[in-house]
Amino acid sequence: MKALSTRGIAPPVAISQAIAAGLAPDGGLYMPEHWPTFSPADFAGDETLAAVGKRLLAPFFADDAIGERLDAICDDAFAVTPPLRRFGTGDDFVLELFHGPTAAFKDYGAAFLAGCLGALPRGEVPLTIVVATSGDTGAAVGAAFHRKPGFRVAILYPDGRVSPRQAHQLGCFGDNVRAFRVDGSFDDCQRLVKSALSDAEFRSEVPLGSANSISLGRLLPQMTYYAHASLMHWRKHATTLNFVVPTGNLGNGLACVLARRMGLPIGEIVLASNANAVLPDFFAGGDYTPGPSIATLANAMDVGAPNNFERLQWLYPDAGGLRALLSADAVDDATIRATIVDAWQRQGEAICPHTACAVHVLQRRRAAGASGDWVAVSTAHPAKFPEVVEPLIGQAIALPPALAAMLERPSHAQALADDGEALRDLLRHG
Ligand SMILES: *Cc1c(COP(=O)(O)O)cnc(C)c1O
């Protein structure tokens, strides 16, 4: 299948070429040229996440250079089937997407992307993956490419705006993975990465790849866990599942919308934002007004200008039509804290600040009379955010083993000014 740019100027390219490129040369984001549709019966016999992923993603890669390797890529990236379990006593569920190497949902997309890029022919010069992160992306991408021959990774993160434990994780890989702490915000990091990626002359000098949620190679695989969870629920209860998705750059929420578009038994979709309310404002009827990001407790969602909105608008150009498809709600820091305390006291569940946004938005929906089966998507393990969660619940949270091993390694990050030329210099030499 071909991929098209949302800006409509760059020519269509093969899906794998779009994955390798990251950003389209006209500055747009790539999208598949059409969306195959399925019915739940098409997945008969598919039990695991990997099995669902192979069937769901096959049409995109049918005539592609990656096609032959797709099953192996899925076996690797989707090895962990995320638990879907009840949360509390009613019809609320939680989908735990944090059982991968860095304990956040981004492990799925990063591993799939690394598998795709590893399956494509490359030149002699290693490919440098440049990635901006507000915390979790960088670690997931670092883990996915660490010691992968033919690849280097440059992680850019906003200095002082990620938690100490996240910062440690970002700098602990070594070898072919380097961390840069940028004097600026996440949006500044993202702009730096975009400026390097859209510089054709520089890319002919230093071959670059993208791994941000703008990469189609991360967006497509994220549909898989929504497909899997909704199918399992459909088989058991014969009802659609409604989702609340913690949202920052809108990659995860968009994947849920796309899975529903492909015919999976998904009902309502609600985006849960933190105090960065650009999406809630739009879905409440306001204009789309991206702005600078605000620092919050759910820092992986501190995004003032969600990149993937461009994809959503491209798919659904009419604002009214778009607002009919999904909704969004904002949660402030005080409410995040109260929700973490409440989940602990009433259910004995420790949840991360991002998950807390979704849990609270679901509570609001229930209070407003929402019926049916709803899932709050749990995007990270609470042990990634001990500074926030532990004082609220009054005890230490045990680390998942993979995370514990990572935190025992030494960590190093290099300072970088918010300056495109400084970044290009560092990427040239090193
Ligand atoms: C990245 C991230 C989010 C936001 O996901 P987007 O795809 O950027 O909307 C939410 N929660 C956690 C824990 C994250 O790491």
Side-chain angles (χ1 to χ4, degrees), residues 60 73 77 109 136 139 145 160 172 181 191 202 212 243 246-247 261 283 297 323 348 388 400 413:
F60 299 105
I73 294 169
D136 290 334
F145 286 93
C172 81
R181 47 189 174 84
R191 222 177 356 258
F202 179 67
N212 274 67
F243 285 89
T247 295
R261 190 185 168 105
F283 283 101
L297 295 175
R323 290 191 186 106
V388 180

Side-chain angles (χ1 to χ4, degrees), residues 391-415:
L392 292 172
I393 67 171
Q395 64 184 78
I397 305 164
L399 282 168
L403 207 52
M406 230 178 226
L407 293 174
E408 272 166 23
R409 299 212 292 261
S411 178
H412 173 73
Q414 197 171 337

Side-chain angles (χ1 to χ4, degrees), residues 98-192:
F98 55 66
H99 295 281
T102 71
F105 81 89
K106 294 189 175 83
D107 283 326
Y108 286 113
F112 187 87
L113 174 69
C116 288
L117 296 183
L120 290 172
R122 285 183 311 278
E124 297 277 291
V125 189
L127 189 68
T128 301
I129 308 292
V130 253
V131 59
T133 184
S134 54
D136 290 334
T137 299
V141 170
F145 286 93
H146 188 213
R147 296 182 178 155
K148 213 172 161 64
F151 291 96
R152 301 191 309 170
V153 177
I155 301 169
L156 279 64
Y157 70 89
D159 200 3
R161 297 258 200 127
V162 306
S163 78
R165 192 167 277 182
Q166 279 177 320
H168 187 104
Q169 235 187 328
L170 294 171
C172 81
F173 294 101
D175 307 311
N176 63 333
V177 180
R178 290 196 295 167
F180 299 105
R181 47 189 174 84
V182 175
D183 182 15
S185 68
F186 169 65
D187 292 329
D188 296 329
C189 295
Q190 204 157 240
R191 222 177 356 258
L192 279 175

Side-chain angles (χ1 to χ4, degrees), residues 23-42:
L23 205 63
D26 59 2
L29 307 179
Y30 281 118
M31 283 290 260
E33 63 180 341
H34 65 259
W35 296 91
T37 53
F38 291 89
S39 75
D42 294 329

Side-chain angles (χ1 to χ4, degrees), residues 152 178 205-206 414 423-430:
R152 301 191 309 170
R178 290 196 295 167
E205 196 185 331
V206 179
Q414 197 171 337
L423 173 62
R424 279 185 276 267
D425 259 1
L426 282 168
L427 295 178
R428 261 187 211 108
H429 312 108

Side-chain angles (χ1 to χ4, degrees), residues 104-106 136 213 246-252 300-301 352 354 379-380 385:
F105 81 89
K106 294 189 175 83
D136 290 334
S213 65
T247 295
N249 221 1
L250 193 51
N252 206 11
M301 294 159 41
C352 91
H354 313 81
T379 46
F385 308 93

